[in-house]
Amino acid sequence: MSNKELEIFKEAEVRRVVKTQIREAKPQDMDAIVALDHVARQDHKRVAYIAEAIRSRKAFVAECDGKVVGYGVISYSFYENGMIELIYVDQDYRRLGIGRSLVEYAE
């Protein structure tokens, strides 16, 4: 096996199939969202932003096996058109299609 083939094999081996559910975020999701978002862990303004998005029903989460692994926020402040303001996926779950699923949910 060539180095390139070995590299491709290793990359495929690392990727895993995950069953993801996307749903509206609930207040109970707040701790899990903050735990996965490195910015929110350091910035109280980000935490307040997320809390307001959840309260106003503009936040949604991605769950894998019952664990929140990503989230998004949408707004309707641009001429009443929906705009994705934020998509964030846990570092351990990136490159698995979760971000894409969050964007598709927002559409």
Side-chain angles (χ1 to χ4, degrees), residues 2-85:
S2 74
N3 284 344
K4 183 66 174 169
E5 289 172 323
L6 184 58
E7 199 174 298
I8 291 169
F9 176 76
K10 284 183 178 179
E11 183 178 327
E13 188 177 42
V14 168
R15 290 186 183 199
R16 57 192 186 274
V17 176
V18 293
K19 185 177 178 186
T20 307
Q21 176 188 2
I22 312 294
R23 61 168 175 77
E24 185 177 311
K26 303 174 199 165
Q28 305 91 287
D29 298 318
M30 189 65 186
D31 289 342
I33 291 170
V34 172
L36 69 88
D37 183 339
H38 76 281
V39 174
R41 289 192 307 261
Q42 300 172 19
D43 184 355
H44 69 277
K45 289 180 185 177
R46 176 81 150 236
V47 174
Y49 167 78
I50 296 166
E52 175 57 26
I54 292 172
R55 189 193 66 70
S56 61
R57 303 181 70 187
K58 295 177 182 171
F60 44 99
V61 296
E63 279 187 327
C64 292
D65 297 323
K67 176 184 177 185
V68 174
V69 297
Y71 74 100
V73 176
I74 192 165
S75 75
Y76 295 91
S77 59
F78 185 72
Y79 299 102
E80 301 301 317
N81 293 308
M83 246 174 66
I84 298 170
E85 290 188 345

